[in-house]
Amino acid sequence: MLQISQLHKSYPIGDSSLHVLKGIDLSVEEGEMVAIMGSSGSGKSTLLNIIGMLDEADSGDYILDGLKIKDLTEKKAAVYRNKFLGFIFQSFNLINYKNALENVALPLYYQGMKRKERQELAMYHLEKVGLANWAHHLPKELSGGQKQRVAIARALAANPKLLLADEPTGALDTVTSHEIMAFIQQLNDEGKTILMVTHEEDIANMCKRIVRLRDGVIIEDTKVEQVRAEQHV
């Protein structure tokens, strides 16, 4: 599903440069649920941005679903992102003046789907996250947990091969975090491949594998006995 080899990334800082990723090797199989951990500055967000095609590595190979990701124009990157990836962010990244249904339907609009079809599909995904009754509410009328469920529905709308979650529980209280993780685990049970950045050990242990970064290199990559989130809800 995802193969990365010898990935390097540096950023210029004044006259020098900061070497953020120092030869990352990582492969993720279809159906895995992987947590990426590391302290601030370890390179985990940079790695996620490169996997998400929001940034590009200086050197190394990145292959996603058999396709080499290299030298993409912004337009091509957008097409690939829409085709392969679903994003879940800590800050939800919902559009404030669009209701829940419109937010979920947005990726389908970019795929060129007709309005009636995308509204039906968006409603299907809102039902899946238990928010059908909130379809016509604006983000400001939703709780944090509800906003994250809308964001998950939006991430799923285009049926991505890979779900990328960046601190998906970072803005939520413990109970709501576990509710969201129970839902994400359910998606993984259904076969969805999930890659998640988190700094919380209990959330990482709800995945099936933990990859730890330090100073731009992977220092540990272990499969773990998954803790089921619903036990904590």
Side-chain angles (χ1 to χ4, degrees), residues 3-231:
Q3 282 99 28
I4 279 172
S5 58
Q6 283 305 298
L7 212 65
H8 285 263
K9 181 68 179 178
S10 297
Y11 293 103
I13 295 182
D15 295 333
S16 60
S17 70
L18 180 65
H19 198 174
V20 181
L21 297 180
K22 303 169 184 172
I24 298 283
D25 294 314
L26 178 69
S27 67
V28 177
E29 300 297 320
E30 198 162 330
E32 280 201 278
M33 184 172 176
V34 183
I36 297 177
M37 299 197 76
S39 59
S40 184
S42 61
K44 59 187 189 300
S45 294
T46 301
L47 178 60
L48 199 71
N49 283 342
I50 290 170
I51 293 170
M53 300 179 222
L54 300 166
D55 202 348
E56 197 164 350
D58 297 333
S59 62
D61 290 322
Y62 169 23
I63 295 167
L64 179 60
D65 202 38
L67 190 74
K68 193 164 187 175
I69 307 298
K70 189 99 176 152
D71 300 327
L72 301 183
T73 63
E74 186 46 52
K75 189 173 183 182
K76 193 80 169 172
V79 169
Y80 284 175
R81 275 197 299 270
N82 223 358
K83 182 179 178 183
F84 291 111
L85 304 171
F87 292 90
I88 307 167
F89 299 96
Q90 177 178 344
S91 54
F92 320 127
N93 283 24
L94 301 178
I95 295 174
N96 291 328
Y97 58 84
K98 290 187 179 291
N99 65 30
L101 187 71
E102 291 166 334
N103 267 287
V104 175
L106 208 55
L108 306 173
Y109 169 80
Y110 289 120
Q111 284 191 348
M113 190 179 285
K114 290 192 173 75
R115 188 168 187 269
K116 186 172 183 289
E117 286 175 47
R118 66 176 186 259
Q119 287 201 314
E120 285 173 1
L121 195 54
M123 184 55 95
Y124 165 79
H125 284 292
L126 277 178
E127 283 170 4
K128 193 167 170 144
V129 298
L131 285 180
N133 293 340
W134 297 82
H136 300 291
H137 287 253
L138 293 170
K140 68 180 180 185
E141 300 168 315
L142 305 176
S143 69
Q146 288 172 323
K147 286 179 193 172
Q148 196 57 293
R149 282 171 186 263
V150 173
I152 291 169
R154 180 187 57 192
L156 293 172
N159 194 26
K161 300 263 183 179
L162 176 65
L163 263 185
L164 298 177
D166 191 2
E167 301 276 6
T169 60
L172 306 173
D173 62 57
T174 304
V175 173
T176 311
S177 292
H178 289 162
E179 286 172 357
I180 291 297
M181 284 305 297
F183 189 76
I184 291 174
Q185 285 180 336
Q186 182 190 326
L187 295 175
N188 180 243
D189 294 343
E190 292 166 7
K192 193 64 75 182
T193 310
I194 297 166
L195 200 59
M196 178 186 302
V197 163
T198 180
H199 66 276
E200 299 171 86
E201 288 287 342
D202 63 326
I203 298 297
N205 281 306
M206 292 177 187
C207 298
K208 295 174 178 171
R209 178 179 158 201
I210 300 177
V211 174
R212 294 182 196 273
L213 270 69
R214 184 188 295 155
D215 297 329
V217 295
I218 292 173
I219 56 164
E220 190 183 341
D221 184 346
T222 49
K223 292 195 170 169
V224 292
E225 188 69 40
Q226 186 184 41
V227 176
R228 297 300 294 189
E230 57 262 28
Q231 296 167 358

